[in-house]
Amino acid sequence: MTVAPEEGLVVEGLRKRYGDHTAVDGVSFALAPGSSLALVGESGSGKTTTVRMLVGLERPDGGTVRLDGRDRSTRPRGRAERLARAREIQMVFQDPYLSLDPRVTVSGCLDEVLRLHTGLDQGARRTRVAELLDQVGLGAREASALPRGLSGGQRQRVAIARALAVEPRVLVLDEAVAALDVSIQAQILELLATIRRESGIGYLFVTHDLAVVRHIADEVLVLKSGQVVETGPTARVLEAPEHPYTRLLLDSVPRRGRRPADR
Ligand SMILES: Nc1ncnc2c1ncn2[C@@H]1O[C@H](COP(=O)(O)OP(=O)(O)OP(=O)(O)O)[C@@H](O)[C@H]1O
Ligand SMILES: [Mg+2]
């Protein structure tokens, strides 16, 4: 019998304490390559803390994070391993304005990432920058613009292009469309869906918006006080929630095409 190598992201018993408060309390889940998982839960339930541990912005107090069988929970051995880990899981934040350098143009920003993470020469980088901009639907005008010269939706496209530049295995999006108005949100979600189909990148989507969950996620994981209370395929969890807390979450947001009185 041949055993398939473990593929994708596997999180087991992840734990984080701040003082005597346990923010993340034994969270486990798996994300297969090319699949999409939404992390939902009320404010303070530990969603951001969980994903910050995955990308390496926080050190877990317990548990393991493995990507394609490689352990990411241990301290990286040297710069090469640190960079490799940074490439593998990329994060897109709610407000790209905070993570984009206001003095660097869009193409300059993408070029910087390619210089740090790839061995491409200047010509190859220029080609790749054009490819990335095209992939996220930005053109020459945006390429030479500074962040402040872009709309919120365009800035989020830049943030996505920057994440894609290093060819990650997993993209973590923490409320990445929450600040955008609904029609721009729909465009960005459409773009993300296309990228996922074409690239096979796995998505971990933190959101409080169940319309977004329905649109983007294959599976949902519900967090409450740092613990997983329910997980399953999106349609099943949204249509037939098993845990009372999930039902509470669903009832606390207006559903598209349904007035509160209809429930
Ligand atoms: N750096 C920190 N120091 C102390 N406590 C923290 C820190 N970061 C998070 N916490 C606490 O951990 C808990 C989980 O916070 P977290 O940011 O993960 O919640 P969240 O689910 O992302 O909430 P939101 O939906 O509001 O973004 C909260 O009680 C929060 O106050
Ligand atoms: Mg958060």
Side-chain angles (χ1 to χ4, degrees):
M1 194 180 84
T2 55
V3 180
E6 181 186 44
E7 283 231 306
L9 181 68
V10 179
V11 174
E12 272 170 348
L14 208 57
R15 203 172 290 280
K16 181 73 189 178
R17 275 208 321 267
Y18 294 113
D20 57 5
H21 177 68
T22 303
V24 176
D25 193 4
V27 167
S28 304
F29 61 85
L31 180 73
S35 67
S36 177
L37 173 70
L39 244 58
V40 302
E42 67 191 344
S43 183
S45 56
K47 306 180 298 293
T48 295
T49 306
T50 298
V51 296
R52 284 176 62 86
M53 289 191 281
L54 302 184
V55 296
L57 290 169
E58 295 278 3
R59 283 194 70 76
D61 292 317
T64 57
V65 178
R66 291 197 307 277
L67 184 64
D68 297 337
R70 292 185 303 279
D71 192 353
R72 294 173 57 93
S73 331
T74 56
R75 207 177 278 279
R77 282 162 305 186
R79 175 184 148 90
E81 190 176 337
R82 190 168 50 77
L83 285 177
R85 279 193 201 171
R87 276 195 297 276
E88 286 174 340
I89 305 185
Q90 285 281 306
M91 188 145 166
V92 175
F93 299 89
Q94 174 168 354
D95 185 358
Y97 213 42
L98 298 175
S99 59
L100 296 174
D101 187 331
R103 299 156 305 182
V104 179
T105 63
V106 168
S107 55
C109 157
L110 296 176
D111 187 63
E112 220 169 80
V113 173
L114 294 174
R115 255 193 348 245
L116 178 66
H117 285 284
T118 72
L120 299 176
D121 66 22
Q122 195 180 0
R125 290 202 306 272
R126 190 171 309 138
T127 307
R128 179 77 177 123
V129 167
E131 251 171 42
L132 286 163
L133 289 171
D134 186 57
Q135 200 177 358
V136 299
L138 295 175
R141 196 194 73 78
E142 291 86 12
S144 56
L146 292 170
R148 67 166 175 274
L150 300 174
S151 72
Q154 287 169 336
R155 280 201 290 271
Q156 206 52 298
R157 286 172 192 266
V158 175
I160 293 167
R162 186 178 53 181
L164 294 176
V166 299
E167 300 179 10
R169 300 278 292 145
V170 174
L171 198 56
V172 174
L173 303 113
D174 191 350
E175 299 287 5
V177 297
L180 305 172
D181 71 54
V182 172
S183 69
I184 305 298
Q185 238 182 41
Q187 289 174 12
I188 299 286
L189 291 175
E190 211 41 64
L191 171 70
L192 287 168
T194 306
I195 290 169
R196 181 156 74 102
R197 270 197 307 277
E198 290 171 355
S199 67
I201 297 173
Y203 288 178
L204 198 58
F205 225 94
V206 173
T207 180
H208 65 275
D209 186 337
L210 294 170
V212 169
V213 171
R214 202 181 293 276
H215 196 276
I216 198 94
D218 306 329
E219 300 208 24
V220 184
L221 182 143
V222 184
L223 273 184
K224 176 179 188 288
S225 309
Q227 297 184 336
V228 179
V229 296
E230 178 159 5
T231 175
T234 301
R236 203 280 296 152
V237 173
L238 296 189
E239 300 314 323
E242 283 167 3
H243 196 280
Y245 177 76
T246 312
R247 285 200 282 275
L248 205 66
L249 270 185
L250 289 169
D251 285 343
S252 66
V253 289
R255 276 186 253 184
R256 194 168 282 175
R258 250 205 244 187
R259 281 164 305 169
D262 297 340
R263 281 180 274 134

